[in-house]
Amino acid sequence: MSGSPGWGLLFRQLAVTRAPLLRLLAWSGVEALPPLLSGLLVSAAVDQGFLVGRPGVGVTWLAGFGAAMAFRAYAARAGFPHLAGVVEPLRDALVERVVHSALARPSADPAEVARLTEQVESARQLTATLLRTLRGVGVTLAAALVGLALLSPAVLPLVLLPLLAAGLLFARLLRPLVARRRAVVLAEERLAAEADRALHGLRDVQATGTQERVTEALTDAARASAAASRALGRASALRALVVALGGRLPVLAVLAAAPWLLSRDALTPGELLGVATYLLQQLDPAVRTLAGTVGGWLLGLAVVLDRLAGTTSDAPVATTVGGVRPSAAGAGAQTHAPLPSAESTAGPPATPAAAAGAPPAPPGGAVAGRAPEVRISGLRYGHGGAGAAVLEGLEAGFGAGEHVAVVGVSGAGKSTLAGLLAGVLAPTDGAVTVGGVRPAGLAGAERARLVALVPQEAYVFPGPLRDNLSWLAPGATDDQLADAVATLGAGQLVARLGGPDAVLRDPGVLSGGERQLLALVRTYLSPAPVVVLDEATCHLDAGAEERVERAFAARPGTLVVVAHRISSALRADRVLLLDGGRGLLARHGDLQVLSPLYRELAGHWLGSTAGHAS
């Protein structure tokens, strides 16, 4: 365990704070004097005082013992400033590592940085607690053994042999305990990552009809976390054997041998009480503390230090992924270096086509027949079915194969309309139909084959990259996959990740724009004749956004885009302006004449674009 990178990190920092560490050890030596004298003073009080009829002498010896304990308390207090001199620089050094790593990865996940900061504080607290406890326990244990040797060498073998066996057993248990504690941490992190991905990509999961598969993945992660905790608990239970060997067995051995030692004058009654003082007041509590609380803290510190050593660096470094320095993916999105994570054992979510047992339709929008017409009739939607309606009496119709942009102020109901079109939300009143069918009334897999929704936060799961890309089109050929990747400008990203056959172990390494690109390729390949992009390109730059929208507009089928920039409205055949729960559908030029609100929105967008350009 001492050869792990985490302990190397700790020992290097302790070497820097050598002076306060030595002063702390010096005060620890002073603390050792009272435990060392305890058995000797008790023995003297009994043999030279109470047993010979001199109670005053016995009380005096015991008073000396009380004074020694008070002196120990003073020494413990005096060591605290030097403890701070060791621990606080350690915390500062670890914070510096986290900051350097974050600066080296500009697109680092803020949640990951926050977790690292929490681990730094855990390392500081555990180190302080261990040093404070170990110096007390260590000096107590050493003082008890020295006191036993001075008081009664005859009983020393009865104590040393079981204590040595306990120490060997404890050392043997440390490595598997650290491994199981690390497994618990990794399993918990995997569970948190799976839950975070599912939560942020919830609309994507709903739109693709794979709730059951994602639920299974979360359940598997939860079970793995529980299994790791149980395994750690079983291994930790063996520490009770360490306490029995090192703390309790020496007491039993001395009690068993006491009559024989007393009968041969190898031990006086006072010395027997002194030995009992060392064993019961010093040795046994020290062993229990070492095997119990200190053992648990030691395991926790080992895991935290290893995580910090493995996920941070001493200085800014060039970020690499798979040995290749990442550049901006075709979308202009940023990325950051991968963080270690437990490899997901869950396979990719089942595809809607496979779930329904139907043969997959040709990918890339090659759907038989004409694209269906989309009708919105008397549409009303209120969150929770009560309260103020977000959409009220909305009427609109999108022609087969039409490209429509949806615009409006914040809160106008654009994303709500996207969810209603995709069927992941059900209208409070009125209807949304696609080719005469209500998407909200279809099962998830069947609905996903009719309307494909790409929300702002896309869901990407651990596993082969090919499975992520062909999730909605399992029958896609290599040529179709390559064509979709190239058409949407994702070639550089896919190549950097290792190609379609590479395994994406931790989707957390991807930026928001990169996740959107993968989800867009996935949707481009799907058989759905209607595609709804709900600000699905908001993390891409303007050039990448234009490329994506033009690709989907050329794809067979109907395209509805919740506009993120004015350019999206300019590229559309018609624009649906949402205002006050209702809508106005017209061409861009006509809307500028018909609607002051649209003129204001367009002017705001154009002004923002000009400001960025300057």
Side-chain angles (χ1 to χ4, degrees):
M1 188 175 69
S2 60
S4 70
W7 290 120
L9 173 63
L10 177 62
F11 293 150
R12 286 196 301 273
Q13 181 56 35
L14 291 180
V16 176
T17 56
R18 185 176 302 165
L21 184 60
L22 291 176
R23 287 192 287 270
L24 180 64
L25 292 176
W27 278 110
S28 300
V30 175
E31 282 188 69
L33 290 176
L36 173 63
L37 297 175
S38 61
L40 295 171
L41 293 175
V42 168
S43 174
V46 173
D47 287 339
Q48 300 176 24
F50 299 115
L51 286 182
V52 296
R54 301 169 63 186
V57 174
V59 170
T60 301
W61 283 116
L62 293 180
F65 179 37
M69 295 305 294
F71 183 70
R72 184 186 188 187
Y74 173 79
R77 181 178 180 276
F80 269 94
H82 308 300
L83 177 64
V86 174
V87 173
E88 296 308 319
L90 171 66
R91 189 264 311 275
D92 295 343
L94 293 178
V95 168
E96 186 176 357
R97 287 177 65 93
V98 173
V99 171
H100 279 162
S101 294
L103 291 176
R105 298 181 282 111
S107 59
D109 183 3
E112 181 66 26
V113 175
R115 284 195 294 269
L116 289 174
T117 304
E118 291 176 1
Q119 290 175 347
V120 167
E121 185 58 25
S122 296
R124 185 191 75 83
Q125 292 179 354
L126 286 170
T127 302
T129 303
L130 277 170
L131 286 176
R132 185 173 66 248
T133 305
L134 277 176
R135 75 188 190 102
V137 171
V139 299
T140 297
L141 190 59
L145 293 177
V146 173
L148 282 171
L150 294 174
L151 181 63
S152 179
V155 303
L156 199 58
L158 300 176
V159 175
L160 283 179
L161 290 177
L163 188 62
L164 180 61
L168 293 175
L169 176 60
F170 184 63
R172 177 66 181 82
L173 288 175
L174 275 182
R175 188 178 295 276
L177 282 172
V178 168
R180 293 191 180 189
R181 175 63 68 90
R182 184 180 293 111
V184 168
V185 172
L186 292 176
E188 289 175 348
E189 288 185 357
R190 178 195 162 197
L191 176 59
E194 290 280 1
D196 183 69
R197 281 192 293 270
L199 178 63
H200 284 86
L202 185 58
R203 294 186 71 199
D204 200 355
V205 172
Q206 288 179 306
T208 52
T210 52
Q211 297 95 320
E212 291 185 4
R213 186 62 190 86
V214 174
T215 300
E216 289 177 6
L218 283 171
T219 302
D220 289 342
R223 288 172 178 167
S225 178
S229 297
R230 288 193 295 270
L232 176 63
R234 289 192 295 269
S236 298
L238 293 175
R239 287 185 293 183
L241 185 57
V242 175
V243 175
L245 280 175
R248 308 294 166 79
L249 187 57
V251 176
L252 295 176
V254 170
L255 289 176
W260 185 84
L261 293 173
L262 289 171
S263 65
R264 285 164 175 73
D265 296 327
L267 197 66
T268 67
E271 290 172 345
L272 179 59
L273 286 178
V275 169
T277 299
Y278 283 127
L279 295 180
L280 297 175
Q281 298 298 321
Q282 315 295 348
L283 185 68
D284 182 61
V287 170
R288 280 190 283 110
T289 302
L290 281 174
T293 56
V294 171
W297 295 334
L298 197 65
L299 295 178
L301 180 61
V303 173
V304 168
L305 288 174
D306 279 352
R307 297 295 285 159
L308 287 172
T311 58
T312 61
S313 58
D314 292 300
V317 294
T319 308
T320 61
V321 179
V324 180
R325 184 171 182 172
S327 55
Q334 292 177 323
T335 184
H336 57 80
L339 299 176
S341 167
E343 180 177 348
S344 175
T345 57
T351 64
V367 182
R370 295 184 66 225
E373 183 181 23
V374 178
R375 297 296 306 172
I376 302 171
S377 307
L379 183 63
R380 182 182 186 277
Y381 182 83
H383 293 297
V390 180
L391 299 173
E392 182 70 68
L394 180 62
E395 297 277 350
F398 308 151
E402 189 174 14
H403 177 186
V404 177
V406 180
V407 302
V409 298
S410 178
K414 301 186 296 294
S415 290
T416 299
L417 178 59
L420 290 164
L421 291 172
V424 297
L425 297 177
T428 305
D429 197 7
V432 173
T433 60
V434 178
V437 177
R438 300 191 181 199
L442 300 177
E446 189 178 356
R447 184 181 67 232
R449 289 198 299 273
L450 181 64
V451 182
L453 169 68
V454 186
Q456 181 175 341
E457 296 298 332
Y459 179 70
V460 178
F461 52 86
L465 187 58
R466 179 184 299 275
D467 290 346
N468 270 282
L469 298 177
S470 61
W471 182 0
L472 303 178
T477 65
D478 289 345
D479 289 342
Q480 291 169 331
L481 187 62
D483 177 68
V485 168
T487 301
L488 294 178
Q492 189 175 2
L493 170 62
V494 172
R496 180 173 58 76
L497 294 175
D501 293 321
V503 175
L504 184 60
R505 301 187 185 281
D506 181 12
V509 307
L510 299 175
S511 68
E514 290 169 335
R515 289 193 295 271
Q516 284 185 336
L517 262 185
L518 296 181
L520 288 163
V521 172
R522 169 200 302 162
T523 304
Y524 185 85
L525 287 166
S526 83
V530 177
V531 171
V532 180
L533 305 182
D534 181 13
E535 295 196 26
T537 58
C538 63
H539 296 304
L540 307 183
D541 60 28
E545 180 181 68
E546 179 179 2
R547 180 171 186 169
V548 166
E549 288 185 7
R550 291 193 183 279
F552 273 95
R555 174 186 182 274
T558 302
L559 175 64
V560 180
V561 178
V562 174
H564 178 62
R565 299 179 176 95
I566 184 62
S567 54
S568 294
L570 293 174
R571 284 190 289 268
D573 298 326
R574 288 192 295 170
V575 179
L576 175 62
L577 172 66
L578 296 181
D579 181 22
R582 298 182 180 275
L584 181 59
L585 181 62
R587 295 182 181 276
H588 165 72
D590 295 336
L591 274 179
Q592 286 188 310
V593 175
L594 297 172
S595 172
L597 174 60
Y598 187 75
R599 289 197 300 271
E600 182 180 345
L601 285 173
H604 172 73
W605 272 332
L606 291 172
S608 300
T609 304
H612 287 307
S614 61

